[in-house]
Amino acid sequence: MVQTVVRCYVMNLEARSVLSERVLLLDVGYRPLSIISVRRAILLMVCQKADAVHESDQLVRSERFDLFAPSVAKLRYSVAAPFKSRASLHRKSVFARDDYECQYCGRRAECIDHVIPRSKGGEHQWENVVACCRACNLAKGDTLLSESTFRLRSAPIAPEPLEVAVALKRNFPDEWLAYLPARFALSA
């Protein structure tokens, strides 16, 4: 039955944009698990695996029912969530972690810098990569912090995978704030 319901969506331009919106998925204890699409959240609700905690004002229509698109959904049962200890390290996630600010001077960041240069044995890891402006990157060059006048504004840390996902999605709904720890709301 689920397959027939899923295939019955009336797909107009408005519905396509609604189905691609994001939903915060919570576990039974109201802890954030992941960010999923509205389409996936509706599938979980139709299969009676999840409930909508908060709904948006956008309506999703199908042949058999109309419902408001969820903005926060909660699973009905406990799941063994896959544990990913470290977030993927890429340029956008470094900028999101550092809030697009240079970690040396505070200006707008344009590039990333290895605190300990790779030529001097530095690894490409979260704890060694920071966002910085072009001027600071050129001035620091291939030197260690101890050999230069540069000081980090904050020590680089490895964020949790969900923290990066939330930070990359800069304009998340206000309903999410109640369920995200304060450090997750990096760029609210």
Side-chain angles (χ1 to χ4, degrees):
M1 178 183 162
V2 174
Q3 292 175 344
T4 58
V5 172
V6 173
R7 292 180 184 156
C8 293
Y9 284 114
V10 177
M11 298 296 283
N12 58 28
L13 291 176
E14 183 178 325
R16 280 193 186 124
S17 64
V18 172
L19 292 176
S20 64
E21 291 292 321
R22 296 291 170 220
V23 176
L24 180 65
L25 183 65
L26 307 173
D27 67 1
V28 177
Y30 289 88
R31 290 179 300 271
L33 273 181
S34 66
I35 299 172
I36 59 175
S37 67
V38 168
R39 183 177 188 278
R40 177 75 178 134
I42 290 173
L43 283 172
L44 290 171
M45 291 166 49
V46 167
C47 295
Q48 298 183 350
K49 294 181 178 183
D51 296 313
V53 177
H54 292 284
E55 296 175 334
S56 69
D57 57 351
Q58 297 175 317
L59 193 64
V60 176
R61 298 174 185 267
S62 81
E63 187 176 286
R64 295 195 172 100
F65 60 87
D66 295 348
L67 61 103
F68 287 100
S71 129
V72 178
K74 180 185 81 70
L75 291 175
R76 288 186 175 183
Y77 54 90
S78 184
V79 296
F83 179 72
K84 188 173 183 181
S85 61
R86 294 176 72 86
S88 299
L89 175 60
H90 50 84
R91 191 178 171 82
K92 281 185 180 180
S93 58
V94 173
F95 286 136
R97 178 198 64 187
D98 295 341
D99 203 23
Y100 295 86
E101 288 183 357
C102 175
Q103 292 303 295
Y104 298 120
C105 69
R107 288 184 288 194
R108 179 144 177 90
E110 302 169 282
C111 50
I112 61 172
D113 180 53
H114 291 86
V115 178
I116 300 171
R118 297 194 69 180
S119 63
K120 301 205 174 168
E123 297 288 325
H124 188 67
Q125 297 177 3
W126 278 106
E127 295 82 3
N128 192 42
V129 176
V130 294
C132 68
C133 65
R134 194 170 307 277
C136 289
N137 195 12
L138 288 172
K140 181 180 172 285
D142 198 23
T143 59
L144 296 169
L145 285 179
S146 59
E147 299 169 354
S148 68
T149 59
F150 291 98
R151 298 291 169 257
L152 286 172
R153 297 169 65 100
S154 62
I157 58 166
E160 294 181 25
L162 184 61
E163 185 175 352
V164 171
V166 170
L168 288 174
K169 184 76 175 159
R170 294 195 130 221
N171 299 319
F172 55 84
D174 293 336
E175 298 91 33
W176 291 19
L177 288 173
Y179 305 101
L180 297 174
R183 70 172 201 267
F184 275 26
L186 293 176
S187 53

